[in-house]
Amino acid sequence: MAPAAILEHTEQPNINENFNDHKDGLALEATSDAVDEVNVLKAAMRVKNGTATQEEVDVYEKSQFDEGKDKTKFRQYEEACDRVKNFYREQHEKQTVAYNLKARNDFKSKTRAEMTIFQAMEKLNTLIDESDPDTSLSQIEHLLQSAEAIRRDGKPKWFQLVGLIHDLGKLLFFYDARGQWDVVGDTFPVGCRFDESIIYPGTFENNPDSQDPIYSTKTGIYSEGCGLDNVMLSWGHDEYLYHICKEQSTLPDEALAMIRYHSFYPWHSAGGYAWMMNEKDEKMFKAVKAFNPYDLYSKDDGLPDINELKEYYLGLVNTYFPPREGETERVIKW
């Protein structure tokens, strides 16, 4: 069962952001970093207090590049939680089925920009502003840092490329976004009951879908074993980039899953939504768990040399985003 038509979404962004006057890229990054930190610290605490599964211990404690690193040093846990609670309240109130249908229709109905991967990296660099609060690195340097951590561990080339491009969907903030709430943050399914595995589950009370006679049931518009490919996840930069890569690259399913699901913490870290999974999702789950340490913990690695590394990564880009006739790099429709 699925909604019959795209419903008009009339919610407005938080007026305190002056969002239409000034889309503050550095503020977006600050929120994104605070969200990441909460997830880092939650995972580290599960490992420390012995409540983590063996798989979590393996992923968060035994990753080669992560070994010996203080995983909780970026900020204090309470401060991080305080910072993101208001963000999640707004996200949880506004991520409705109606909004998600409209966002996907808008995505498919137009092209926001045409750029190569490296041009998109440079554009993100200028739009986000100068730095990431945790590292004072440029966006390009942070993306290269993630990719290099993956490369040093001997992962496949497509895996390395995911590290390089995984944040490029944040360009959405400067195109069609209505605020930070539809760009960053943990993702979750819409169209069924909001699960207790989602961070701050009590903040969905003002989301109209929580009172809908269909959307508020456990399975909602889905069925058990339907497969995550058929599930509408909350719209944001991961979902945006996933659809771009699915349609315009030759990346394997595991890479697409890493891009789409790495912020789906209710599923891959909190044990929720297992009833949706099919056989393919069991395989994709392992890929997502393998990627997440590189997303969360690589911000403290050494400074990458952009000039030295660009040729290597351009080769990876051209392998999985093959240039068309007359192109030296594939021009992507964003």
Side-chain angles (χ1 to χ4, degrees):
M1 179 177 182
I6 292 177
L7 305 177
E8 186 63 30
H9 176 72
T10 59
E11 295 141 347
Q12 296 300 313
N14 185 344
I15 59 172
N16 293 325
E17 296 178 8
N18 293 321
F19 189 74
N20 293 324
D21 296 330
H22 177 60
K23 295 190 177 183
D24 189 339
L26 197 58
L28 176 76
E29 276 302 277
T31 299
S32 181
D33 284 339
V35 166
D36 283 349
E37 183 173 4
V38 170
N39 288 315
V40 168
L41 296 175
K42 284 168 68 177
M45 287 191 298
R46 284 197 301 272
V47 172
K48 186 175 181 179
N49 65 23
T51 60
T53 64
Q54 185 57 48
E55 184 174 41
E56 286 179 312
V57 173
D58 291 342
V59 170
Y60 289 105
E61 290 293 293
K62 298 180 180 178
S63 173
Q64 292 180 44
F65 87 93
D66 236 9
E67 205 166 345
K69 182 178 291 185
D70 177 7
K71 301 183 181 70
T72 63
K73 76 177 185 178
F74 291 117
R75 300 184 188 95
Q76 294 299 314
Y77 182 64
E78 291 84 0
E79 293 175 357
C81 287
D82 286 345
R83 179 175 181 81
V84 300
K85 189 166 187 178
N86 287 335
F87 161 79
Y88 275 121
R89 180 176 289 108
E90 183 176 20
Q91 184 202 45
H92 291 173
E93 290 176 1
K94 295 183 176 181
Q95 285 280 1
T96 61
V97 169
Y99 172 72
N100 274 268
L101 288 169
K102 187 176 189 307
R104 283 161 174 78
N105 185 62
D106 290 345
F107 168 75
K108 294 175 181 178
S109 66
K110 64 182 178 181
T111 298
R112 284 140 291 277
E114 294 190 12
M115 299 177 286
T116 67
I117 292 293
F118 272 89
Q119 286 172 339
M121 291 168 65
E122 291 167 0
K123 189 172 184 66
L124 187 64
N125 222 39
T126 60
L127 292 175
I128 291 296
D129 210 342
E130 293 184 44
S131 67
D132 176 313
D134 283 330
T135 62
S136 296
L137 294 181
S138 70
Q139 291 298 301
I140 292 176
E141 287 168 335
H142 169 55
L143 291 171
L144 284 169
Q145 200 178 53
S146 297
E148 280 294 279
I150 295 166
R151 183 184 178 190
R152 283 196 303 273
D153 277 2
K155 304 300 183 184
K157 291 184 175 180
W158 57 261
F159 196 146
Q160 298 169 34
L161 183 58
V162 171
L164 184 72
I165 68 174
H166 73 280
D167 268 349
L168 290 184
K170 289 179 181 176
L171 287 169
L172 176 66
F173 184 64
F174 304 95
Y175 297 139
D176 293 342
R178 300 194 177 200
Q180 296 182 4
W181 61 270
D182 61 348
V183 180
V184 296
D186 293 5
T187 58
F188 49 85
V190 297
C192 61
R193 181 187 303 156
F194 299 116
D195 195 83
E196 288 294 313
S197 59
I198 304 172
I199 187 171
Y200 298 122
T203 57
F204 283 100
E205 59 186 3
N206 291 325
N207 184 312
D209 290 359
S210 67
Q211 306 300 321
D212 185 273
I214 296 174
Y215 304 154
S216 62
T217 62
K218 177 185 175 179
T219 56
I221 60 175
Y222 310 110
S223 59
E224 295 204 15
C226 62
L228 293 177
D229 282 345
N230 299 308
V231 171
M232 188 159 55
L233 292 180
S234 53
W235 184 252
H237 78 282
D238 293 339
E239 194 76 358
Y240 170 61
L241 183 62
Y242 160 73
H243 284 286
I244 288 171
C245 293
K246 182 182 178 183
E247 295 169 10
Q248 301 183 65
S249 81
T250 61
L251 285 166
D253 286 343
E254 290 82 356
L256 296 175
M258 290 173 178
I259 291 168
R260 189 183 190 209
Y261 303 131
H262 71 268
S263 297
F264 188 10
Y265 283 89
W267 172 60
H268 67 66
S269 291
Y273 298 101
W275 60 267
M276 290 180 162
M277 295 172 68
N278 60 17
E279 186 175 349
K280 177 184 175 183
D281 297 326
E282 300 286 351
K283 298 177 182 177
M284 298 304 104
F285 182 86
K286 295 178 181 178
V288 176
K289 294 288 279 186
F291 173 73
N292 260 61
Y294 300 101
D295 178 43
L296 291 177
Y297 300 141
S298 63
K299 290 183 179 180
D300 196 36
D301 286 5
L303 183 67
D305 186 327
I306 298 170
N307 294 326
E308 181 181 315
L309 296 171
K310 183 173 181 179
E311 183 176 352
Y312 174 79
Y313 285 103
L314 181 57
L316 297 191
V317 170
N318 284 344
T319 297
Y320 295 100
F321 292 86
R324 291 165 293 204
E325 186 174 354
E327 294 180 337
T328 56
E329 296 177 57
R330 177 69 173 267
V331 176
I332 308 297
K333 292 183 177 181
W334 299 87

